[in-house]
Amino acid sequence: MPDPESMEERAKRAVRDVHRAATRYQDEDLHQAAVEISRMAGELGHDPGSIQDWRRCPVCGAEPGALCIQVPRHDMVDGVHPERIRQ
């Protein structure tokens, strides 16, 4: 019987697992590897999923997995500081 979970969903889950491990061990190299995998997936036409949730925000200090908070003179896009996505 075929696996009901699509390959794309399995790939997103794997990238989230890498980000979780990077957060747990505070390993920036693991975060960067997951970001690079996500970017390559996007360039190949796949939805890489959200990465900003797994990054600490350099603007407001939101921890991985937490939402950004508003900070004077810093715009947010869809509830996230753009700097968090570009890290």
Side-chain angles (χ1 to χ4, degrees):
M1 176 181 258
D3 186 354
E5 187 176 34
S6 73
M7 289 186 71
E8 192 164 284
E9 288 303 313
R10 289 172 53 203
K12 285 183 195 180
R13 185 169 33 85
V15 169
R16 284 192 302 267
D17 289 346
V18 172
H19 277 298
R20 278 190 200 102
T23 299
R24 184 180 318 116
Y25 298 111
Q26 298 182 359
D27 188 328
E28 186 61 26
D29 290 338
L30 280 178
H31 273 304
Q32 290 303 322
V35 167
E36 186 62 23
I37 292 167
S38 295
R39 286 187 182 138
M40 288 186 300
E43 289 175 13
L44 292 171
H46 301 285
D47 175 13
S50 173
I51 61 170
Q52 64 266 18
D53 295 340
W54 298 103
R55 304 303 310 254
R56 185 173 188 283
C57 182
V59 174
C60 68
E63 293 296 324
L67 298 174
C68 285
I69 58 172
Q70 290 187 336
V71 175
R73 296 180 300 282
H74 288 276
D75 293 329
M76 291 177 36
V77 178
D78 296 326
V80 176
H81 291 108
E83 295 86 350
R84 188 174 192 177
I85 298 168
R86 289 191 294 257
Q87 262 189 356

